[in-house]
Amino acid sequence: MLPRTYDEQICSVARALEVVGERWTMLVIRDAFRGKTRFAQFERSVGAPKKVLADRLERLVEEGVLERRLYQERPERYEYLLTKKGRSLWRVLAQLIFWGDEHYPAEGGRPQLLKHIGCGGRADARFHCMKCGAELERHDIELVPGPGLKAAVAGLGAV
């Protein structure tokens, strides 16, 4: 059985996995990049049990990946926003998209595309625009539905 922590390992990958290496955690971060901020939004999208989701959000706040901010006083309700540290995970998440598309392709094509906001071209795995050649940063890219997601949605409508 794998230990729950990697305290004995002197390894940056192991230390990073302590924070983001759990399945539900990366899905929460994915959704935070998609603009979700509230518990109910994460719960619907991620599908984790309430307790698991609450624990993951709390851990991400403790680690400084998300900031918890009060948006309603009665009853108290909070939203969760990516911090600078959290936003710096965008390349990791994007690389997981590229890796997943290559090794686990969806029927109908890529479910989501990273598009260059400036010219509409697609970003490649080196974060260059395939249309204009620009080197891209997070603020230059938007995540848009790809043909695989459109095909899946169309298939659901046919049921």
Side-chain angles (χ1 to χ4, degrees):
M1 176 179 254
L2 289 173
R4 293 187 52 83
T5 64
Y6 304 100
D7 295 336
E8 301 299 316
Q9 295 192 30
I10 301 175
C11 172
S12 297
V13 173
R15 286 193 309 273
L17 286 174
E18 285 287 323
V19 179
V20 299
E22 193 275 332
R23 169 187 173 189
W24 301 115
T25 302
M26 285 306 292
L27 296 177
V28 167
I29 292 168
R30 173 203 66 188
D31 283 354
F33 275 107
R34 290 178 173 170
K36 292 177 177 30
T37 60
R38 298 184 179 176
F39 188 93
Q41 293 172 319
F42 290 120
E43 184 180 25
R44 277 191 303 275
S45 180
V46 171
K50 285 182 189 289
K51 172 80 168 105
V52 171
L53 180 57
D55 290 347
R56 297 312 177 268
L57 288 168
E58 182 180 337
R59 177 70 194 268
L60 290 169
V61 169
E62 287 171 1
E63 291 293 333
V65 174
L66 294 176
E67 174 188 349
R68 190 173 107 143
R69 194 178 296 165
L70 185 70
Y71 74 87
Q72 179 179 310
E73 290 190 21
R74 292 198 179 130
E76 282 190 356
R77 297 198 191 270
Y78 294 88
E79 61 184 352
Y80 298 87
L81 304 166
L82 287 164
T83 62
K84 183 177 178 182
K85 184 177 184 178
R87 289 188 302 275
S88 71
L89 286 165
W90 79 271
R91 285 182 184 259
V92 174
L93 199 59
Q95 286 298 334
L96 281 172
I97 291 169
F98 291 126
W99 187 82
D101 287 346
E102 179 179 346
H103 298 287
Y104 302 97
E107 280 188 44
R110 298 170 191 264
Q112 49 199 353
L113 303 172
L114 284 89
K115 290 273 195 154
H116 179 198
I117 294 169
C119 76
R122 274 196 10 228
D124 67 16
R126 296 175 304 124
F127 303 106
H128 288 94
C129 179
M130 295 167 65
K131 185 174 179 182
C132 73
E135 190 171 329
L136 304 173
E137 294 296 331
R138 171 68 185 111
H139 64 273
D140 299 317
I141 295 174
E142 65 179 333
L143 197 59
V144 299
L149 183 59
K150 292 174 187 173
V153 170
L156 290 175
V159 173

